[in-house]
Amino acid sequence: MSCFAGLTASAPVASGLADRGKGRGRVYANITETVGNTPCVKISEEICPKGRTIYAKLEYFNPLSSVKDRLACAIIEDAEKKGQLKPGDTVIEATSGNTGIAVAMLCAQRGYKCVITMAEPFSIERRKLMRFMGAKVIITPKAGKGTGMVAKAKELAEKHGWFLCRQFENEANAEFHYKTTGQEILNDFEGMKLDYYVLGYGTGGTFAGAGKAIKEKRPDVKICLGEPADAPLVASGTKTERNADGSATGSHPAFKPHPIQGWTPDFIPQIAEKGILDTGYDEFVPIPGQAAIDMSQALAKTQGIFTGISGGASMYAAVEMAKKAPEGSVLVAMLADTGERYLSTPLFASISADMNEEELAISKSTPNFQL
């Protein structure tokens, strides 16, 4: 049935549908101009605890379907302004996938060459997407973890004279979130109640930048930081040892592998550490890996929201926070990317490509075109 079924020319249109058909009132010079201005969508009571309101900021509305599109714009645009990049240069970065995909997009649009280093465990589809965008993808051994892929990127950059993004230390990352993500949330909730801002950390750019912007304008908003229960780096209280450039000297002792790809590498990024020191957080939620997977699946099946494991993790943290928050509380959670990045991961392990018994029964309920 059409979404417009039952409407007539004179029938009132629900306020949420009133801008359909209006377009954006502008056209775009290139794909990077479409980054940002992602929507905040209300979560129903099938997930949200009664008496509270949760919104999800859907970062998969960015052109390459993740919050890391912002990071790529931040670092490449900043490097161009500083004269660190010129036509034909090569850009290199270490990534769990989303940053690499976003950097590959920027490089394709700008005409730079792109090389990505990525640790072996991250999903196969991420490798293919980066190569599809024209990047060269260098896989590093699983045993080296995140610090290994970062060290490999640095080694290659030094060897070949390539521009290294340094997403975990580059302050342009957090600054971009301060100027965009944080301002978007403030504008979207202007004149409305907002009590909690809920998210995890990968580089810490969203946490440090958007968190700072929100706290400056609305200091009563509490920041709730999530972290994998299997990798309690921040919760441990143990700092990451650093090289002179801010990168980690090695793997954090509290790190264990976890399924929330894109969150919490095996070190506390310098940007995240600065965010903790400068802005801080008010609440903390440890997130079991299976709970993040279950919540991602629940968002798809009850809300029609298709996000990855990290999005499930953020929403799990928001729900847990809402359970203990005062009645009437309003929360907004960051959902970092699309579920399509996880087809080969545990998120889809229970999803078969073949028909199950119920589907076969439906097929056999009519006589024709049966397998």
Side-chain angles (χ1 to χ4, degrees):
M1 180 179 291
S2 167
C3 292
F4 300 99
L7 293 180
T8 66
S10 59
V13 179
S15 59
L17 310 181
D19 59 354
R20 282 185 177 173
K22 288 187 176 180
R24 296 196 177 199
R26 61 162 293 186
V27 293
Y28 297 87
N30 64 68
I31 192 65
T32 69
E33 292 184 1
T34 69
V35 172
N37 291 322
T38 56
C40 292
V41 175
K42 188 176 180 180
I43 301 300
S44 77
E45 287 188 355
E46 289 182 83
I47 286 179
C48 181
K50 290 185 178 181
R52 285 79 178 162
T53 304
I54 298 175
Y55 290 90
K57 187 163 175 62
L58 305 181
E59 287 296 295
Y60 61 74
F61 273 69
N62 282 305
L64 264 292
S65 304
S66 91
V67 68
K68 298 301 185 181
D69 291 1
R70 298 179 188 263
L71 181 156
C73 285
I75 291 175
I76 298 301
E77 290 172 8
D78 180 68
E80 290 171 339
K81 289 176 185 176
K82 293 176 177 176
Q84 296 171 338
L85 279 172
K86 62 183 184 298
D89 278 357
T90 298
V91 176
I92 184 168
E93 183 55 329
T95 173
S96 64
N98 282 332
T99 294
I101 292 164
V103 170
M105 170 185 70
L106 264 288
C107 288
Q109 191 277 318
R110 295 290 213 270
Y112 303 125
K113 300 179 183 71
C114 182
V115 177
I116 298 298
T117 62
M118 189 168 75
E120 192 178 7
F122 298 117
S123 69
I124 298 298
E125 48 270 36
R126 298 178 185 220
R127 302 181 195 179
K128 290 186 174 182
L129 282 167
M130 287 183 282
R131 288 173 174 142
F132 189 82
M133 300 292 291
K136 305 298 183 186
V137 182
I138 311 305
I139 306 301
T140 60
K142 178 180 179 180
K145 296 176 273 194
T147 49
M149 69 183 187
V150 170
K152 184 64 173 179
K154 183 177 179 181
E155 182 181 82
L156 287 168
E158 291 174 351
K159 168 72 174 178
H160 300 286
W162 296 338
F163 174 77
L164 178 61
C165 292
R166 299 180 68 247
Q167 62 170 318
F168 300 104
E169 300 87 38
N170 195 322
E171 293 184 3
N173 176 358
E175 183 65 19
F176 195 89
H177 283 288
Y178 176 85
K179 292 179 177 178
T180 65
T181 318
Q183 306 307 322
E184 291 167 26
I185 292 170
L186 289 167
N187 289 333
D188 287 351
F189 286 88
E190 185 175 2
M192 294 173 59
K193 186 175 174 62
L194 179 61
D195 300 292
Y196 297 88
Y197 177 48
V198 186
L199 73 168
Y201 68 92
T203 64
T206 313
F207 160 66
K212 178 182 177 182
I214 292 168
K215 278 287 192 180
E216 282 183 355
K217 294 288 182 67
R218 299 185 66 163
D220 292 340
V221 174
K222 293 180 173 63
I223 296 177
C224 176
L225 185 65
E227 187 175 57
D230 289 333
L233 277 60
V234 170
S236 73
T238 301
K239 291 186 176 181
T240 285
E241 298 296 323
R242 303 196 183 282
N243 297 307
D245 63 1
S247 62
T249 59
S251 189
H252 194 285
F255 179 82
K256 292 181 181 178
H258 61 85
I260 309 175
Q261 294 190 21
W263 272 27
T264 312
D266 64 315
F267 55 92
I268 300 173
Q270 187 178 54
I271 293 173
E273 184 177 279
K274 286 183 176 180
I276 292 169
L277 293 173
D278 295 344
T279 304
Y281 57 90
D282 304 284
E283 302 284 349
F284 180 86
V285 178
I287 303 161
Q290 189 59 50
I293 292 169
D294 293 344
M295 181 59 76
S296 175
Q297 294 171 344
L299 284 165
K301 292 174 181 175
T302 69
Q303 311 295 308
I305 290 175
F306 188 42
T307 188
I309 300 175
S310 63
S314 285
M315 187 55 61
Y316 172 86
V319 169
E320 292 304 300
M321 190 68 249
K323 289 176 181 177
K324 64 178 185 178
E327 188 168 356
S329 291
V330 178
L331 306 86
V332 61
M334 295 292 297
L335 272 57
D337 67 358
T338 172
E340 289 185 351
R341 300 278 151 87
Y342 300 83
L343 297 175
S344 64
T345 76
L347 184 60
F348 279 79
S350 63
I351 308 300
S352 174
D354 299 319
M355 286 190 287
N356 60 27
E357 290 185 6
E358 185 178 2
E359 291 164 336
L360 286 168
I362 294 170
S363 175
K364 292 176 180 178
S365 68
T366 61
N368 300 314
F369 305 104
Q370 295 181 22
L371 289 179

